[in-house]
Amino acid sequence: MSNKFTDAMSHLFDVSATIDLLQYDFVQQALIAGAILGLLAGVIGPLIVSRQMSFAVHGTSELSLTGASAALLVGISVGAGAIVGSVVAAILFGLLGAKARDRDSVIGVIMAFGLGLSVLFIWSYEGRTGTSFSLLIGQIVAPGNSGLALLLLCAVVVIGVLALIYRPLLFASTDPDVAEARGVPVRALSIVFAVLVGITAALGVQIVGALLVMALLITPAAAAAFVTASPVKATILSIVFAELAAVGGILLSLAPGVPVSSFVTTISFVIYLICRLGGSRRRKNTGRVAAHTH
């Protein structure tokens, strides 16, 4: 067993060290950023799951890495670069992958090209290698004052736009053919939603990194879907699960000094397993009741 791993785990429940670290401004900012991101991910996650866009989220988060690494190379805001990269990716996915049979291949092709550019940009960067690594796995000190302001602004915009388009978007997500026949602008909504997902994924990269952003955008919503079929209840549960993962992951990572993404993904996965197990038992019991009734 690695000494580094053993030493980190021995400090996992060091409450006094955690309390001491909570006095620092950057830790408090990280917790606020995690709470905002948890709210955002919890709100948008159920729609992503219902629209079967998990692979698109993965592709968008990977391409936000391309924007972030390009920004790192030219010396501008990494957060802004990540957002630009993810929005461009989302628009390309929406325009080129409108047909379901083309969607996965389009995402795969664009993602592979974008990742190739990311490798080139990160390789060319002459600064600290730790900064480049944090784009992949996230880090607790990433938000900062400017990053927190950008996160808050983007969260307000994303939730505001979602509130405006929620009903037609939910209709288009549930039954796109009927929605289109009734005059709902399904394709335009798809592109707008893809851009919102792109912005959220770019924000998530700052906390959990490009490789693990699905732990906040997909896993909590997928867990909630096992518990309830109600869109409203699923959204509320998704927010609670995402907050537990984001804020809980940051708190647990403080004392041992382990990358926050490790705890965020672990908490998300445990919640998913519990909900999946509970949901399976609930469906079996419902089936037995229905069988006895008939």
Side-chain angles (χ1 to χ4, degrees), residues 158-187:
V158 170
I159 293 178
V161 174
L162 263 183
L164 289 174
I165 65 172
Y166 184 78
R167 289 181 67 86
L169 182 64
L170 184 62
F171 187 18
S173 304
T174 307
D175 196 333
D177 293 333
V178 175
E180 191 166 22
R182 294 191 178 181
V184 176
V186 175
R187 185 169 186 183

PDB file of all heavy atoms in Angstrom, residues 158-187:
ATOM      1  N   VAL A 158     -28.187  30.399 -16.514  1.00  0.00           N
ATOM      2  CA  VAL A 158     -28.643  29.051 -16.887  1.00  0.00           C
ATOM      3  C   VAL A 158     -29.986  28.721 -16.241  1.00  0.00           C
ATOM      4  O   VAL A 158     -30.920  28.251 -16.905  1.00  0.00           O
ATOM      5  CB  VAL A 158     -27.576  27.993 -16.479  1.00  0.00           C
ATOM      6  CG1 VAL A 158     -28.149  26.581 -16.647  1.00  0.00           C
ATOM      7  CG2 VAL A 158     -26.333  28.154 -17.330  1.00  0.00           C
ATOM      8  N   ILE A 159     -30.112  28.985 -14.944  1.00  0.00           N
ATOM      9  CA  ILE A 159     -31.372  28.676 -14.251  1.00  0.00           C
ATOM     10  C   ILE A 159     -32.501  29.587 -14.758  1.00  0.00           C
ATOM     11  O   ILE A 159     -33.641  29.143 -14.917  1.00  0.00           O
ATOM     12  CB  ILE A 159     -31.190  28.806 -12.723  1.00  0.00           C
ATOM     13  CG1 ILE A 159     -30.246  27.705 -12.234  1.00  0.00           C
ATOM     14  CG2 ILE A 159     -32.527  28.698 -12.001  1.00  0.00           C
ATOM     15  CD1 ILE A 159     -29.937  27.753 -10.755  1.00  0.00           C
ATOM     16  N   GLY A 160     -32.181  30.850 -15.055  1.00  0.00           N
ATOM     17  CA  GLY A 160     -33.190  31.757 -15.585  1.00  0.00           C
ATOM     18  C   GLY A 160     -33.714  31.299 -16.941  1.00  0.00           C
ATOM     19  O   GLY A 160     -34.940  31.272 -17.174  1.00  0.00           O
ATOM     20  N   VAL A 161     -32.818  30.919 -17.845  1.00  0.00           N
ATOM     21  CA  VAL A 161     -33.244  30.446 -19.168  1.00  0.00           C
ATOM     22  C   VAL A 161     -34.015  29.133 -19.035  1.00  0.00           C
ATOM     23  O   VAL A 161     -35.037  28.925 -19.706  1.00  0.00           O
ATOM     24  CB  VAL A 161     -32.015  30.267 -20.099  1.00  0.00           C
ATOM     25  CG1 VAL A 161     -32.435  29.628 -21.425  1.00  0.00           C
ATOM     26  CG2 VAL A 161     -31.351  31.610 -20.365  1.00  0.00           C
ATOM     27  N   LEU A 162     -33.539  28.244 -18.143  1.00  0.00           N
ATOM     28  CA  LEU A 162     -34.244  26.967 -17.937  1.00  0.00           C
ATOM     29  C   LEU A 162     -35.669  27.200 -17.431  1.00  0.00           C
ATOM     30  O   LEU A 162     -36.609  26.503 -17.850  1.00  0.00           O
ATOM     31  CB  LEU A 162     -33.491  26.113 -16.918  1.00  0.00           C
ATOM     32  CG  LEU A 162     -32.537  25.049 -17.466  1.00  0.00           C
ATOM     33  CD1 LEU A 162     -31.943  24.254 -16.320  1.00  0.00           C
ATOM     34  CD2 LEU A 162     -33.219  24.133 -18.455  1.00  0.00           C
ATOM     35  N   ALA A 163     -35.825  28.184 -16.548  1.00  0.00           N
ATOM     36  CA  ALA A 163     -37.161  28.484 -16.027  1.00  0.00           C
ATOM     37  C   ALA A 163     -38.088  28.941 -17.139  1.00  0.00           C
ATOM     38  O   ALA A 163     -39.286  28.608 -17.149  1.00  0.00           O
ATOM     39  CB  ALA A 163     -37.057  29.554 -14.935  1.00  0.00           C
ATOM     40  N   LEU A 164     -37.545  29.693 -18.104  1.00  0.00           N
ATOM     41  CA  LEU A 164     -38.359  30.209 -19.206  1.00  0.00           C
ATOM     42  C   LEU A 164     -38.788  29.097 -20.175  1.00  0.00           C
ATOM     43  O   LEU A 164     -39.894  29.122 -20.717  1.00  0.00           O
ATOM     44  CB  LEU A 164     -37.587  31.297 -19.970  1.00  0.00           C
ATOM     45  CG  LEU A 164     -37.393  32.632 -19.236  1.00  0.00           C
ATOM     46  CD1 LEU A 164     -36.494  33.557 -20.062  1.00  0.00           C
ATOM     47  CD2 LEU A 164     -38.745  33.301 -18.998  1.00  0.00           C
ATOM     48  N   ILE A 165     -37.914  28.149 -20.426  1.00  0.00           N
ATOM     49  CA  ILE A 165     -38.194  27.137 -21.457  1.00  0.00           C
ATOM     50  C   ILE A 165     -38.544  25.775 -20.858  1.00  0.00           C
ATOM     51  O   ILE A 165     -38.657  24.789 -21.598  1.00  0.00           O
ATOM     52  CB  ILE A 165     -36.991  26.973 -22.422  1.00  0.00           C
ATOM     53  CG1 ILE A 165     -35.761  26.406 -21.681  1.00  0.00           C
ATOM     54  CG2 ILE A 165     -36.646  28.306 -23.082  1.00  0.00           C
ATOM     55  CD1 ILE A 165     -34.612  26.037 -22.606  1.00  0.00           C
ATOM     56  N   TYR A 166     -38.714  25.702 -19.523  1.00  0.00           N
ATOM     57  CA  TYR A 166     -38.838  24.386 -18.881  1.00  0.00           C
ATOM     58  C   TYR A 166     -40.009  23.557 -19.418  1.00  0.00           C
ATOM     59  O   TYR A 166     -39.838  22.384 -19.773  1.00  0.00           O
ATOM     60  CB  TYR A 166     -38.975  24.550 -17.360  1.00  0.00           C
ATOM     61  CG  TYR A 166     -39.011  23.229 -16.631  1.00  0.00           C
ATOM     62  CD1 TYR A 166     -37.844  22.508 -16.407  1.00  0.00           C
ATOM     63  CD2 TYR A 166     -40.217  22.678 -16.198  1.00  0.00           C
ATOM     64  CE1 TYR A 166     -37.865  21.289 -15.755  1.00  0.00           C
ATOM     65  CE2 TYR A 166     -40.248  21.447 -15.545  1.00  0.00           C
ATOM     66  CZ  TYR A 166     -39.065  20.760 -15.328  1.00  0.00           C
ATOM     67  OH  TYR A 166     -39.094  19.548 -14.701  1.00  0.00           O
ATOM     68  N   ARG A 167     -41.202  24.158 -19.502  1.00  0.00           N
ATOM     69  CA  ARG A 167     -42.380  23.381 -19.902  1.00  0.00           C
ATOM     70  C   ARG A 167     -42.267  22.851 -21.337  1.00  0.00           C
ATOM     71  O   ARG A 167     -42.436  21.649 -21.564  1.00  0.00           O
ATOM     72  CB  ARG A 167     -43.640  24.221 -19.719  1.00  0.00           C
ATOM     73  CG  ARG A 167     -44.007  24.436 -18.256  1.00  0.00           C
ATOM     74  CD  ARG A 167     -45.278  25.250 -18.125  1.00  0.00           C
ATOM     75  NE  ARG A 167     -46.433  24.521 -18.622  1.00  0.00           N
ATOM     76  CZ  ARG A 167     -47.135  23.671 -17.887  1.00  0.00           C
ATOM     77  NH1 ARG A 167     -46.797  23.447 -16.639  1.00  0.00           N
ATOM     78  NH2 ARG A 167     -48.168  23.055 -18.381  1.00  0.00           N
ATOM     79  N   PRO A 168     -41.980  23.720 -22.348  1.00  0.00           N
ATOM     80  CA  PRO A 168     -41.827  23.158 -23.704  1.00  0.00           C
ATOM     81  C   PRO A 168     -40.629  22.207 -23.823  1.00  0.00           C
ATOM     82  O   PRO A 168     -40.679  21.234 -24.576  1.00  0.00           O
ATOM     83  CB  PRO A 168     -41.647  24.402 -24.588  1.00  0.00           C
ATOM     84  CG  PRO A 168     -41.246  25.493 -23.664  1.00  0.00           C
ATOM     85  CD  PRO A 168     -41.891  25.193 -22.359  1.00  0.00           C
ATOM     86  N   LEU A 169     -39.573  22.480 -23.052  1.00  0.00           N
ATOM     87  CA  LEU A 169     -38.405  21.591 -23.104  1.00  0.00           C
ATOM     88  C   LEU A 169     -38.742  20.226 -22.521  1.00  0.00           C
ATOM     89  O   LEU A 169     -38.341  19.185 -23.073  1.00  0.00           O
ATOM     90  CB  LEU A 169     -37.242  22.221 -22.327  1.00  0.00           C
ATOM     91  CG  LEU A 169     -35.927  21.444 -22.330  1.00  0.00           C
ATOM     92  CD1 LEU A 169     -35.362  21.341 -23.747  1.00  0.00           C
ATOM     93  CD2 LEU A 169     -34.900  22.119 -21.419  1.00  0.00           C
ATOM     94  N   LEU A 170     -39.494  20.207 -21.419  1.00  0.00           N
ATOM     95  CA  LEU A 170     -39.902  18.933 -20.823  1.00  0.00           C
ATOM     96  C   LEU A 170     -40.802  18.161 -21.777  1.00  0.00           C
ATOM     97  O   LEU A 170     -40.670  16.936 -21.928  1.00  0.00           O
ATOM     98  CB  LEU A 170     -40.630  19.197 -19.500  1.00  0.00           C
ATOM     99  CG  LEU A 170     -41.041  17.959 -18.695  1.00  0.00           C
ATOM    100  CD1 LEU A 170     -39.813  17.160 -18.282  1.00  0.00           C
ATOM    101  CD2 LEU A 170     -41.847  18.365 -17.459  1.00  0.00           C
ATOM    102  N   PHE A 171     -41.720  18.879 -22.447  1.00  0.00           N
ATOM    103  CA  PHE A 171     -42.595  18.247 -23.439  1.00  0.00           C
ATOM    104  C   PHE A 171     -41.766  17.660 -24.586  1.00  0.00           C
ATOM    105  O   PHE A 171     -41.954  16.497 -24.993  1.00  0.00           O
ATOM    106  CB  PHE A 171     -43.579  19.298 -23.963  1.00  0.00           C
ATOM    107  CG  PHE A 171     -44.649  18.752 -24.859  1.00  0.00           C
ATOM    108  CD1 PHE A 171     -44.957  17.387 -24.893  1.00  0.00           C
ATOM    109  CD2 PHE A 171     -45.372  19.603 -25.686  1.00  0.00           C
ATOM    110  CE1 PHE A 171     -45.955  16.891 -25.722  1.00  0.00           C
ATOM    111  CE2 PHE A 171     -46.360  19.113 -26.537  1.00  0.00           C
ATOM    112  CZ  PHE A 171     -46.645  17.754 -26.542  1.00  0.00           C
ATOM    113  N   ALA A 172     -40.820  18.458 -25.094  1.00  0.00           N
ATOM    114  CA  ALA A 172     -39.972  17.989 -26.201  1.00  0.00           C
ATOM    115  C   ALA A 172     -39.076  16.836 -25.765  1.00  0.00           C
ATOM    116  O   ALA A 172     -38.730  15.971 -26.584  1.00  0.00           O
ATOM    117  CB  ALA A 172     -39.132  19.143 -26.719  1.00  0.00           C
ATOM    118  N   SER A 173     -38.686  16.808 -24.493  1.00  0.00           N
ATOM    119  CA  SER A 173     -37.827  15.718 -23.993  1.00  0.00           C
ATOM    120  C   SER A 173     -38.621  14.432 -23.833  1.00  0.00           C
ATOM    121  O   SER A 173     -38.100  13.336 -24.053  1.00  0.00           O
ATOM    122  CB  SER A 173     -37.222  16.107 -22.635  1.00  0.00           C
ATOM    123  OG  SER A 173     -36.514  17.309 -22.722  1.00  0.00           O
ATOM    124  N   THR A 174     -39.902  14.564 -23.448  1.00  0.00           N
ATOM    125  CA  THR A 174     -40.733  13.380 -23.201  1.00  0.00           C
ATOM    126  C   THR A 174     -41.206  12.742 -24.490  1.00  0.00           C
ATOM    127  O   THR A 174     -41.132  11.517 -24.657  1.00  0.00           O
ATOM    128  CB  THR A 174     -41.950  13.771 -22.336  1.00  0.00           C
ATOM    129  OG1 THR A 174     -41.490  14.442 -21.166  1.00  0.00           O
ATOM    130  CG2 THR A 174     -42.757  12.548 -21.955  1.00  0.00           C
ATOM    131  N   ASP A 175     -41.714  13.562 -25.421  1.00  0.00           N
ATOM    132  CA  ASP A 175     -42.225  13.041 -26.691  1.00  0.00           C
ATOM    133  C   ASP A 175     -41.934  14.042 -27.812  1.00  0.00           C
ATOM    134  O   ASP A 175     -42.781  14.889 -28.144  1.00  0.00           O
ATOM    135  CB  ASP A 175     -43.728  12.781 -26.589  1.00  0.00           C
ATOM    136  CG  ASP A 175     -44.222  11.890 -27.727  1.00  0.00           C
ATOM    137  OD1 ASP A 175     -43.591  11.900 -28.804  1.00  0.00           O
ATOM    138  OD2 ASP A 175     -45.221  11.182 -27.531  1.00  0.00           O
ATOM    139  N   PRO A 176     -40.736  14.016 -28.393  1.00  0.00           N
ATOM    140  CA  PRO A 176     -40.346  15.037 -29.377  1.00  0.00           C
ATOM    141  C   PRO A 176     -41.233  15.069 -30.625  1.00  0.00           C
ATOM    142  O   PRO A 176     -41.490  16.142 -31.170  1.00  0.00           O
ATOM    143  CB  PRO A 176     -38.899  14.658 -29.728  1.00  0.00           C
ATOM    144  CG  PRO A 176     -38.730  13.256 -29.273  1.00  0.00           C
ATOM    145  CD  PRO A 176     -39.653  13.061 -28.130  1.00  0.00           C
ATOM    146  N   ASP A 177     -41.718  13.909 -31.082  1.00  0.00           N
ATOM    147  CA  ASP A 177     -42.540  13.881 -32.303  1.00  0.00           C
ATOM    148  C   ASP A 177     -43.869  14.609 -32.094  1.00  0.00           C
ATOM    149  O   ASP A 177     -44.285  15.425 -32.931  1.00  0.00           O
ATOM    150  CB  ASP A 177     -42.780  12.428 -32.729  1.00  0.00           C
ATOM    151  CG  ASP A 177     -41.493  11.754 -33.171  1.00  0.00           C
ATOM    152  OD1 ASP A 177     -40.588  12.477 -33.639  1.00  0.00           O
ATOM    153  OD2 ASP A 177     -41.390  10.519 -33.045  1.00  0.00           O
ATOM    154  N   VAL A 178     -44.527  14.300 -30.985  1.00  0.00           N
ATOM    155  CA  VAL A 178     -45.805  14.960 -30.693  1.00  0.00           C
ATOM    156  C   VAL A 178     -45.583  16.447 -30.433  1.00  0.00           C
ATOM    157  O   VAL A 178     -46.363  17.301 -30.891  1.00  0.00           O
ATOM    158  CB  VAL A 178     -46.483  14.292 -29.471  1.00  0.00           C
ATOM    159  CG1 VAL A 178     -47.744  15.059 -29.086  1.00  0.00           C
ATOM    160  CG2 VAL A 178     -46.809  12.842 -29.779  1.00  0.00           C
ATOM    161  N   ALA A 179     -44.510  16.776 -29.722  1.00  0.00           N
ATOM    162  CA  ALA A 179     -44.202  18.181 -29.435  1.00  0.00           C
ATOM    163  C   ALA A 179     -43.987  18.968 -30.719  1.00  0.00           C
ATOM    164  O   ALA A 179     -44.495  20.088 -30.877  1.00  0.00           O
ATOM    165  CB  ALA A 179     -42.958  18.267 -28.538  1.00  0.00           C
ATOM    166  N   GLU A 180     -43.265  18.380 -31.668  1.00  0.00           N
ATOM    167  CA  GLU A 180     -43.009  19.061 -32.940  1.00  0.00           C
ATOM    168  C   GLU A 180     -44.308  19.234 -33.725  1.00  0.00           C
ATOM    169  O   GLU A 180     -44.545  20.274 -34.347  1.00  0.00           O
ATOM    170  CB  GLU A 180     -41.998  18.267 -33.770  1.00  0.00           C
ATOM    171  CG  GLU A 180     -41.477  19.030 -34.981  1.00  0.00           C
ATOM    172  CD  GLU A 180     -40.248  18.377 -35.585  1.00  0.00           C
ATOM    173  OE1 GLU A 180     -40.055  17.157 -35.358  1.00  0.00           O
ATOM    174  OE2 GLU A 180     -39.487  19.067 -36.271  1.00  0.00           O
ATOM    175  N   ALA A 181     -45.157  18.204 -33.692  1.00  0.00           N
ATOM    176  CA  ALA A 181     -46.440  18.282 -34.404  1.00  0.00           C
ATOM    177  C   ALA A 181     -47.329  19.381 -33.828  1.00  0.00           C
ATOM    178  O   ALA A 181     -48.161  19.954 -34.547  1.00  0.00           O
ATOM    179  CB  ALA A 181     -47.155  16.933 -34.316  1.00  0.00           C
ATOM    180  N   ARG A 182     -47.148  19.696 -32.550  1.00  0.00           N
ATOM    181  CA  ARG A 182     -47.963  20.743 -31.911  1.00  0.00           C
ATOM    182  C   ARG A 182     -47.291  22.114 -31.950  1.00  0.00           C
ATOM    183  O   ARG A 182     -47.693  23.030 -31.244  1.00  0.00           O
ATOM    184  CB  ARG A 182     -48.260  20.342 -30.466  1.00  0.00           C
ATOM    185  CG  ARG A 182     -49.152  19.117 -30.386  1.00  0.00           C
ATOM    186  CD  ARG A 182     -49.660  18.891 -28.986  1.00  0.00           C
ATOM    187  NE  ARG A 182     -50.557  17.744 -28.913  1.00  0.00           N
ATOM    188  CZ  ARG A 182     -51.155  17.345 -27.812  1.00  0.00           C
ATOM    189  NH1 ARG A 182     -50.970  18.010 -26.681  1.00  0.00           N
ATOM    190  NH2 ARG A 182     -51.955  16.293 -27.817  1.00  0.00           N
ATOM    191  N   GLY A 183     -46.228  22.230 -32.755  1.00  0.00           N
ATOM    192  CA  GLY A 183     -45.619  23.536 -32.976  1.00  0.00           C
ATOM    193  C   GLY A 183     -44.512  23.917 -32.018  1.00  0.00           C
ATOM    194  O   GLY A 183     -44.043  25.065 -32.033  1.00  0.00           O
ATOM    195  N   VAL A 184     -44.068  22.994 -31.173  1.00  0.00           N
ATOM    196  CA  VAL A 184     -42.949  23.286 -30.265  1.00  0.00           C
ATOM    197  C   VAL A 184     -41.646  23.287 -31.076  1.00  0.00           C
ATOM    198  O   VAL A 184     -41.391  22.341 -31.827  1.00  0.00           O
ATOM    199  CB  VAL A 184     -42.865  22.235 -29.137  1.00  0.00           C
ATOM    200  CG1 VAL A 184     -41.636  22.486 -28.259  1.00  0.00           C
ATOM    201  CG2 VAL A 184     -44.131  22.262 -28.296  1.00  0.00           C
ATOM    202  N   PRO A 185     -40.827  24.336 -30.983  1.00  0.00           N
ATOM    203  CA  PRO A 185     -39.560  24.402 -31.744  1.00  0.00           C
ATOM    204  C   PRO A 185     -38.516  23.445 -31.164  1.00  0.00           C
ATOM    205  O   PRO A 185     -37.586  23.864 -30.458  1.00  0.00           O
ATOM    206  CB  PRO A 185     -39.147  25.861 -31.602  1.00  0.00           C
ATOM    207  CG  PRO A 185     -39.739  26.305 -30.309  1.00  0.00           C
ATOM    208  CD  PRO A 185     -41.029  25.554 -30.159  1.00  0.00           C
ATOM    209  N   VAL A 186     -38.673  22.169 -31.481  1.00  0.00           N
ATOM    210  CA  VAL A 186     -37.858  21.123 -30.848  1.00  0.00           C
ATOM    211  C   VAL A 186     -36.365  21.316 -31.113  1.00  0.00           C
ATOM    212  O   VAL A 186     -35.533  21.237 -30.197  1.00  0.00           O
ATOM    213  CB  VAL A 186     -38.317  19.731 -31.347  1.00  0.00           C
ATOM    214  CG1 VAL A 186     -37.403  18.644 -30.804  1.00  0.00           C
ATOM    215  CG2 VAL A 186     -39.757  19.471 -30.913  1.00  0.00           C
ATOM    216  N   ARG A 187     -36.013  21.608 -32.385  1.00  0.00           N
ATOM    217  CA  ARG A 187     -34.587  21.718 -32.707  1.00  0.00           C
ATOM    218  C   ARG A 187     -33.945  22.938 -32.033  1.00  0.00           C
ATOM    219  O   ARG A 187     -32.841  22.860 -31.510  1.00  0.00           O
ATOM    220  CB  ARG A 187     -34.394  21.802 -34.222  1.00  0.00           C
ATOM    221  CG  ARG A 187     -32.927  21.805 -34.607  1.00  0.00           C
ATOM    222  CD  ARG A 187     -32.698  21.615 -36.075  1.00  0.00           C
ATOM    223  NE  ARG A 187     -31.268  21.495 -36.365  1.00  0.00           N
ATOM    224  CZ  ARG A 187     -30.758  21.377 -37.560  1.00  0.00           C
ATOM    225  NH1 ARG A 187     -31.556  21.323 -38.614  1.00  0.00           N
ATOM    226  NH2 ARG A 187     -29.459  21.287 -37.734  1.00  0.00           N
TER     227      ARG A 187
END
